Amino acid sequence: MNEYRGEMREVPGRLPTAGTPFEHGVISDRPPPPALLTGDALTDLLGAMLAVAGHLELSAVLDRFVQVSAELTHARYGAINVLDDSGTSTTFVYTGVPTAVARMLRHPPHAHGVLGQIPHEGVLRLDDLTQHPAFQGWPAHHPSMGSFLGASVKVGEHVFGQLYLSEKEGGGAFTVGDERMVLALAAAAGVAVANAQLYAEAERREHWLRAGQDITTMLLEGVDEESALEHVARTAREVAGADTAALALPGMGGELFIELADGYHAAELTGLVMPRGGRAWTVLEEGRGLLTPSLSASRTVKVDEMRAFGPAMFAPLHSSGRGVGVLVLLRRIGRTPFDERDLATAESFAAQAALAYVLAEARHAQDVAALLDERERIARDLHDLAIQQLFATGMQLETVRRRAARGVDPQELTSIVEEALDNVDSSVRQIRQIVYALRDPDAATGLVERLRREASLARTGLGFAPSLVLSLDGEDLSQDDADAQDHLDERLEQQLTDDVVAVVREGLANAARHAQASSVTVRVAVRGSGPTGSVEVDVEDDGVGLPADRERSSGTGNLAARARQHGGTFSIGTAPSGTGTLLMWQAPLG
């Protein structure tokens, strides 16, 4: 049995980025940096230590450490093997082994055999590692190695990984001087790794904080609940380095459902019921997060779909003691487990998202209460103004009927009828005013002003002001041409005006959410009048274009429905330039 039992795959020319959990068996084979050696041992050692400590990203620290260790000890082969608590390789950074050979080996070494003999303190120095009693043989394609020098790299009291050096140049053995070099470098590397971990942790916390602020802003700006929850799941998955994120929310019958999921196997998870007594329920009821090293290996997992995943993290969506739901973050089988630091930041994010969610619910309840108050006011106005006046008119008409039956002079009756007709006209005006109060407050505002307002509001979501181009019968409208703007308003009846504004609003919202654009142009063109005239709306951006698989189309479906109501057309596709998206909506004026 040889010492190589894990999986190894190559990522040419790059290392895992700081703040991202290392995937199992990632290796690096970067070209060596410029030579460090000056001929003076102390100067060379100090230069090497500074070179290692001069990086903040963990990937760069590991890469530099391997290079300078091999160079200072004149070793042909060098590597650092980052190990988890079970001795399994999580990251393997090497130099000296040809890339083609590394690919054939496939697996990084674990801390077994000779490598398992490397002490936590000091070094393991061998003239020929194949003669050591613990040697278990080479795997196929492994280069032959003789002299060996190994040392542990510690972060505090914890063994972070092991340094392997082999094949001293010239065929000699490593010396006591090499030992001292390696021990000094390992100590410096331990400090550099600790600093890099702190830097990565700070970046990770910053990402979580920024993500939480974005969620709060979205919910309090009035984004619909489904879009906000989708954003919560997608953002949490990306920031946590997870493969899948799911939101388990209370539903009908007191059950806990996975309302939505994002990422790997998302479709299989959506709609699942979380069993009572399971991890999700425990987290929801206790308000404390939970880590699981591997769902696939757990005997207590009751939902078969969950066994397709390895590491898992459950964070409660809690606010003021109220359980809103549970954020579930999952990684594929074999990936590095989440740790307590991941859980702490995820819990903070989930708490912030829950608070924003509760505030949004409270605002919605306030809006509903305001709507009820408004309905009561309208009922009072109808009763006190219109209905009372109509009742008085009815009394007048009843008087006319009685007097006509008694043969009263028609001229006297005519005056009463005229007064009643005036009262009816007044009632109609009162009712019309009440109806107008129920409509969009913008209904009395002209189309041009409403479109300018939509463009101004879209600036926040887009990060820049969209371009608005209006034309009437082929002539562009000037912002100062009030007469032309009035003519444009006269061409469109109220319902069509409302629909044009809604189309522009939806087009700008889609561009802000999905396009990642640097410019957006809105064009509204009115041609002709009556049944032969038309209004056309184009919203064009220079963004990434339409996704290959659009899961939701509620917004664009509404635009198509608005077009059909007027006998018009709607389409959305790639812009004529070949990049970005073009939304086109058209309807007749009649």
Side-chain angles (χ1 to χ4, degrees):
M1 182 184 302
N2 63 60
E3 297 164 17
Y4 288 77
R5 300 179 182 175
E7 177 189 359
M8 180 167 66
R9 66 179 180 87
E10 184 176 14
V11 182
R14 67 180 289 276
L15 281 167
T17 56
T20 302
F22 287 119
E23 290 189 314
H24 184 64
V26 172
I27 62 175
S28 172
D29 188 18
R30 290 182 177 176
L36 295 168
L37 301 183
T38 65
D40 180 77
L42 181 58
T43 300
D44 291 343
L45 177 60
L46 289 176
M49 293 172 70
L50 289 174
V52 172
H55 298 280
L56 284 176
E57 291 190 356
L58 184 57
S59 58
V61 169
L62 298 179
D63 191 54
R64 200 74 172 109
F65 174 57
V66 171
Q67 298 288 355
V68 299
S69 298
E71 187 170 350
L72 284 182
T73 58
H74 301 281
R76 180 178 178 183
Y77 305 113
I80 183 170
N81 198 8
V82 180
L83 308 171
D84 62 17
D85 294 337
S86 65
T88 300
S89 174
T90 61
T91 307
F92 190 70
V93 183
Y94 71 92
T95 185
V97 178
T99 299
V101 174
R103 287 176 176 169
M104 288 188 288
L105 291 174
R106 297 179 56 198
H107 303 298
H110 301 322
H112 304 301
V114 176
L115 303 183
Q117 305 303 308
I118 296 175
H120 290 187
E121 305 287 346
V123 301
L124 175 66
R125 180 162 60 95
L126 302 171
D127 292 342
D128 187 350
L129 63 84
T130 63
Q131 301 303 311
H132 193 283
F135 181 69
Q136 299 176 345
W138 301 115
H141 310 294
H142 194 287
S144 177
M145 296 181 182
S147 56
F148 178 82
L149 182 61
S152 295
V153 177
K154 298 176 66 177
V155 176
E157 296 301 316
H158 172 70
V159 175
F160 173 78
Q162 294 177 335
L163 172 66
Y164 309 144
L165 299 169
S166 185
E167 287 297 288
K168 178 92 168 176
E169 290 181 3
F174 291 102
T175 66
V176 173
D178 294 329
E179 284 188 21
R180 293 171 181 164
M181 285 275 195
V182 165
L183 288 174
L185 279 174
V191 174
V193 166
N195 290 338
Q197 288 177 333
L198 290 173
Y199 176 73
E201 177 65 18
E203 277 200 328
R204 186 159 53 243
R205 287 182 179 274
E206 181 183 353
H207 291 163
W208 278 114
L209 262 172
R210 191 183 303 118
Q213 291 168 353
D214 290 345
I215 296 299
T216 301
T217 302
M218 282 186 65
L219 285 167
L220 296 185
E221 282 182 347
V223 173
D224 66 273
E225 181 180 320
E226 183 181 357
S227 295
L229 292 178
E230 286 178 348
H231 192 72
V232 168
R234 182 172 61 255
T235 301
R237 178 181 60 79
E238 293 170 352
V239 176
D243 293 304
T244 306
L247 285 172
L249 306 175
M252 295 181 60
E255 297 288 356
L256 188 62
F257 294 88
I258 292 185
E259 184 76 17
L260 59 89
D262 179 81
Y264 175 69
H265 275 345
E268 290 82 350
L269 296 180
T270 303
L272 290 178
V273 178
M274 297 291 97
R276 292 275 181 177
R279 291 171 174 81
W281 269 106
T282 300
V283 168
L284 180 66
E285 293 171 345
E286 297 183 358
R288 293 196 303 270
L290 186 148
L291 296 174
T292 299
S294 177
L295 292 175
S296 64
S298 174
R299 297 181 179 179
T300 60
V301 173
K302 301 176 183 178
V303 181
D304 290 338
E305 288 81 357
M306 286 291 189
R307 294 190 178 277
F309 298 93
M313 177 165 60
F314 297 77
L317 291 161
H318 260 237
S319 178
S320 302
R322 174 192 168 192
V324 177
V326 178
L327 172 63
V328 185
L329 294 166
L330 306 164
R331 287 178 180 160
R332 301 191 192 201
I333 297 171
R335 286 200 58 191
T336 306
F338 297 101
D339 59 28
E340 292 294 337
R341 293 173 300 179
D342 295 321
L343 181 59
T345 47
E347 285 181 321
S348 177
F349 168 81
Q352 191 170 357
L355 176 60
Y357 187 78
V358 170
L359 289 175
E361 280 188 331
R363 191 186 66 173
H364 176 67
Q366 188 177 29
D367 290 344
V368 171
L371 178 61
L372 293 175
D373 290 342
E374 181 67 6
R375 286 179 175 177
E376 290 182 3
R377 183 192 67 78
I378 293 167
R380 288 194 302 271
D381 288 349
L382 284 171
H383 180 270
D384 296 342
L385 300 175
I387 294 177
Q388 293 285 22
Q389 196 162 34
L390 287 173
F391 181 77
T393 302
M395 296 287 289
Q396 289 176 318
L397 294 176
E398 177 63 23
T399 300
V400 170
R401 187 182 66 81
R402 289 199 306 268
R403 291 184 179 183
R406 296 197 304 266
V408 176
D409 182 8
Q411 186 175 359
E412 180 182 345
L413 296 179
T414 299
S415 64
I416 298 176
V417 170
E418 289 177 348
E419 183 180 352
L421 289 174
D422 289 340
N423 286 337
V424 170
D425 289 340
S426 177
S427 297
V428 169
R429 286 193 297 272
Q430 293 284 353
I431 294 173
R432 183 180 291 119
Q433 290 175 0
I434 294 171
V435 170
Y436 282 162
L438 292 175
R439 303 193 64 171
D440 187 345
D442 286 334
T445 306
L447 173 62
V448 176
E449 180 60 32
R450 293 176 68 181
L451 291 178
R452 286 175 181 163
R453 187 179 305 172
E454 292 298 330
S456 177
L457 292 173
R459 179 195 294 266
T460 302
L462 291 169
F464 56 85
S467 175
L468 179 62
V469 180
L470 305 175
S471 66
L472 181 63
D473 295 331
E475 297 290 332
D476 289 347
L477 295 186
S478 168
Q479 293 192 8
D480 301 325
D481 192 345
D483 290 338
Q485 294 176 18
D486 289 341
H487 288 317
L488 187 147
D489 287 331
E490 291 172 0
R491 302 281 183 92
L492 279 72
E493 52 92 20
Q494 187 62 52
Q495 180 60 50
L496 187 54
T497 299
D498 292 343
D499 285 340
V500 168
V501 173
V503 170
V504 171
R505 180 184 301 148
E506 180 66 24
L508 290 172
N510 280 339
R513 282 196 293 263
H514 309 302
Q516 303 174 32
S518 59
S519 68
V520 177
T521 301
V522 176
R523 293 182 290 269
V524 178
V526 176
R527 295 181 177 85
S529 61
T532 59
S534 67
V535 57
E536 297 177 4
V537 180
D538 293 351
V539 181
E540 183 175 357
D541 64 66
D542 63 353
V544 297
L546 293 171
D549 181 17
R550 287 186 290 162
E551 296 180 357
R552 298 177 66 241
S553 59
S554 56
T556 55
N558 289 338
L559 300 188
R562 290 179 186 273
R564 287 194 300 270
Q565 288 175 358
H566 298 283
T569 59
F570 164 76
S571 66
I572 185 169
T574 304
S577 63
T579 60
T581 302
L582 174 61
L583 180 154
M584 295 187 293
W585 190 92
Q586 178 272 338
L589 297 180

